[in-house]
Amino acid sequence: MEVIDLAWWQLGLAALMVVALAICSHLVRLGVEKSLLIAAVRTVVQLSLIGLVLEALFATTALHWVALMALAMLLIAGREVTRRQKRRLTGGWGFGIGTLSMFLSSFAVTILTLTVIIGPDPWYTPQYAIPLLGMMLGNTMTGVAISLDRLTETAWQQRAAIEGRLMLGQTWQQAITDIRRDAMRSGMIPTINAMAAAGVVSLPGMMTGQILAGSSPALAVKYQILVMLTITVGVGFGTLAGVTLASRRLFDGRERLRMDRLV
Amino acid sequence: MSLILRQLAVGDLKPLSLEIAPGEILCLSGASGSGKSRLLRAIADLDPHQGSVWLEGTEQSSVSGHCWRNWVRLVPAESQWWFETVEEHFPADKEQDLSALGLKQKMLKSPVSRLSSGEKQRLSLARALAVAPRALLLDEPTANLDPDATEQIERWLLQSIRAHQWPVIWVAHDPEQIARVASRHYQLKADQLREVSHGSD
């Protein structure tokens, strides 16, 4: 199957539709036209740039370039996790814990999927490694960000109750157990919901893209299943690691609740 | 066992040393904001502080935080509740007897949201003593109670304290209550602890 090429002027037509939407938004005073246009421009610029990077990367197939790309993606995701938290841990701990838990889960699951399941040669072939890691990191980032935000916010709101439990002689784990469970759950629920709705309510973007690009639906479905399962594993372990590390950091060696460690 | 403070300093408070004998009730008064609650929190090791606190021969820092707080029980002025019903906040393996606090037994089954502040205060005292501590820090234990209930709770507390010989720090405002329960009376003023002699002030 041959894929129909897209010319820039054809994308321009799609952009014109966005402009039309912006004009309508202006006419009914929705007030979103500015952010709409800025976001549209960002999409074009960012994706074009990443296209150039990927073209260059796919041409080299050198491990150190792939690793550098993966590291850059990880650090940007770490920054994003920190940015999305209303109250985060001070002194780089918020960034550190978020990045470490994403690294542990996303990289482990991606590498395992590449070496054991898909098996390209070499295993770090960028056509497979980079998109897979990207999807993994993107979803893990959301899961970790939601759960850490929930953890710190709830701990802040319920700090008096947590200390009330400490006063009764409970360990720090007992004192924060409900909040911790709640935070982990809220990080994992969106992924679980996405799995439950896949194919029935929504056609996942990756699969749709693959079909548009000429793959047979049967193969696209298999890749989509693989990706969804691995994403769930990555999000799950990332959330577990992040919440476990961050909740430990909320207490000191004397098991005191240290709200001064949040900003 | 006696509770011993050695050069304990927290926040703006000047370092203070005290020894509270078994069964002794040290009443602590002082204007709000004078640091009474901070002091109790430091003794329970809920806030970082300087100096040392001992329970007889055991230093605070030689045991884990939860172990220390299990021995040295702080009952805060405002009680906190984190489960739906009262009962869930009590140890599951023991029968609770609330009659001595003037509360009905069926109150254990009721949701926390339906309790009055006085009921919450009494229940939080019962909860704090449900697992026996070795020392007691009470932050205005009768603040939300009417005179009858206050008297009942005082009697119940004094009885428990005598029976178990706990050293107690009791934050109180009412001079009459202090006269009734205190073995010694200290006042926190200008970041310092002063003993108030009986009969005066």
Side-chain angles (χ1 to χ4, degrees):
Chain A
M1 237 193 291
E2 192 53 42
V3 184
I4 303 169
D5 193 24
L6 279 180
W8 283 105
W9 66 267
Q10 288 165 314
L11 292 179
L13 289 181
L16 269 183
M17 293 198 279
V18 175
V19 173
L21 176 64
I23 292 170
C24 289
S25 145
H26 179 69
L27 289 179
V28 297
R29 292 163 205 239
L30 278 184
V32 294
E33 56 277 3
K34 201 173 154 196
S35 44
L36 173 70
L37 290 176
I38 291 175
V41 172
R42 279 189 65 166
T43 297
V44 174
V45 173
Q46 288 168 4
L47 289 181
S48 306
L49 285 177
I50 204 67
L52 292 177
V53 172
L54 289 180
E55 292 268 359
L57 195 63
F58 288 4
T60 68
T61 325
L63 178 59
H64 59 272
W65 286 116
V66 179
L68 189 69
M69 178 75 187
L71 181 70
M73 288 161 71
L74 176 69
L75 292 180
I76 294 169
R79 212 191 66 139
E80 192 63 22
V81 165
T82 325
R83 222 175 50 80
R84 287 191 198 172
Q85 283 174 76
K86 199 168 145 214
R87 298 178 201 282
R88 55 182 179 276
L89 290 164
T90 50
W93 282 90
F95 176 82
I97 288 174
T99 311
L100 179 70
S101 33
M102 282 191 294
F103 172 74
L104 289 177
S105 70
S106 300
F107 279 59
V109 174
T110 304
I111 290 174
L112 208 67
T113 308
L114 285 172
T115 52
V116 178
I117 301 177
I118 305 180
D121 183 39
W123 64 268
Y124 51 83
T125 305
Q127 282 90 332
Y128 289 89
I130 295 298
L132 207 57
L133 182 66
M135 283 186 287
M136 203 69 79
L137 266 180
N139 286 280
T140 311
M141 177 181 81
T142 309
V144 169
I146 292 175
S147 62
L148 286 185
D149 185 51
R150 183 68 166 263
L151 176 78
T152 50
E153 185 62 29
T154 320
W156 173 264
Q157 280 167 2
Q158 299 187 10
R159 56 194 188 279
I162 298 174
E163 289 202 315
R165 302 178 76 152
L166 292 176
M167 286 174 202
L168 289 178
Q170 296 193 358
T171 62
W172 71 268
Q173 290 101 327
Q174 289 169 327
I176 199 153
T177 177
D178 301 314
I179 295 170
R180 190 155 68 168
R181 194 183 308 133
D182 196 45
M184 285 178 182
R185 203 177 287 154
S186 63
M188 289 166 73
I189 288 251
T191 321
I192 295 174
N193 286 346
M195 277 207 299
V200 189
V201 185
S202 62
L203 278 186
M206 188 213 93
M207 187 178 100
T208 320
Q210 219 179 342
I211 293 172
L212 280 177
S215 279
S216 77
L219 181 63
V221 162
K222 275 193 223 157
Y223 266 96
Q224 187 63 50
I225 291 173
L226 176 70
V227 163
M228 290 201 104
L229 295 180
T230 49
I231 280 177
T232 309
V233 175
V235 171
F237 283 116
T239 307
L240 282 177
V243 171
T244 305
L245 292 173
S247 59
R248 179 72 192 89
R249 180 65 196 163
L250 290 177
F251 296 86
D252 65 12
R254 300 295 305 158
E255 301 182 60
R256 304 178 187 119
L257 181 67
R258 295 295 294 272
M259 281 294 125
D260 55 323
R261 289 177 176 177
L262 290 179
V263 280
Chain B
M1 273 187 227
S2 29
L3 182 67
I4 303 152
L5 319 182
R6 289 203 183 125
Q7 295 296 310
L8 182 70
V10 58
D12 296 329
L13 283 186
K14 300 224 165 58
L16 53 95
S17 299
L18 269 181
E19 179 162 349
I20 302 135
E24 187 182 22
I25 299 175
L26 187 147
C27 270
L28 193 60
S29 62
S32 56
S34 60
K36 304 181 298 286
S37 300
R38 288 287 304 270
L39 181 62
L40 294 194
R41 286 174 58 88
I43 299 171
D45 207 5
L46 283 164
D47 283 332
H49 55 85
Q50 275 111 49
S52 63
V53 185
W54 299 70
L55 196 60
E56 201 66 48
T58 313
E59 197 187 348
Q60 189 183 59
S61 58
S62 69
V63 295
S64 67
H66 72 269
C67 178
W68 178 263
R69 287 185 280 271
N70 212 8
W71 291 346
V72 180
R73 179 84 75 252
L74 169 58
V75 189
E78 198 163 314
S79 66
Q80 295 293 330
W81 304 86
W82 43 89
F83 293 125
E84 190 83 20
T85 66
V86 174
E87 198 173 34
E88 293 168 274
H89 296 80
F90 284 83
D93 51 352
K94 254 197 282 182
E95 270 304 291
Q96 298 302 324
D97 182 21
L98 301 180
S99 56
L101 294 99
L103 296 172
K104 294 202 176 68
Q105 204 62 24
K106 66 173 186 208
M107 193 165 275
L108 281 173
K109 302 275 181 208
S110 60
V112 173
S113 55
R114 222 183 291 158
L115 300 175
S116 72
S117 60
E119 286 164 342
K120 275 190 204 162
Q121 187 157 33
R122 280 182 275 180
L123 284 166
S124 90
L125 284 165
R127 174 179 67 179
L129 301 190
V131 176
R134 299 182 182 181
L136 204 50
L137 311 171
L138 303 170
D139 197 348
E140 301 189 46
T142 61
N144 297 312
L145 303 182
D146 59 49
D148 282 349
T150 300
E151 203 185 312
Q152 194 165 25
I153 292 302
E154 269 178 27
R155 215 178 317 126
W156 176 75
L157 278 171
L158 288 175
Q159 213 169 34
S160 311
I161 292 164
R162 278 201 205 104
H164 293 92
Q165 288 293 298
W166 293 318
V168 179
I169 299 181
W170 183 320
V171 172
H173 284 301
D174 177 17
E176 285 171 29
Q177 178 173 68
I178 295 172
R180 284 195 299 270
V181 304
S183 322
R184 274 191 286 166
H185 175 202
Y186 281 81
Q187 197 170 28
L188 260 182
K189 213 173 187 179
D191 303 334
Q192 275 187 11
L193 204 58
R194 284 164 228 252
E195 179 150 17
V196 182
S197 56
H198 268 285
S200 75
D201 193 6

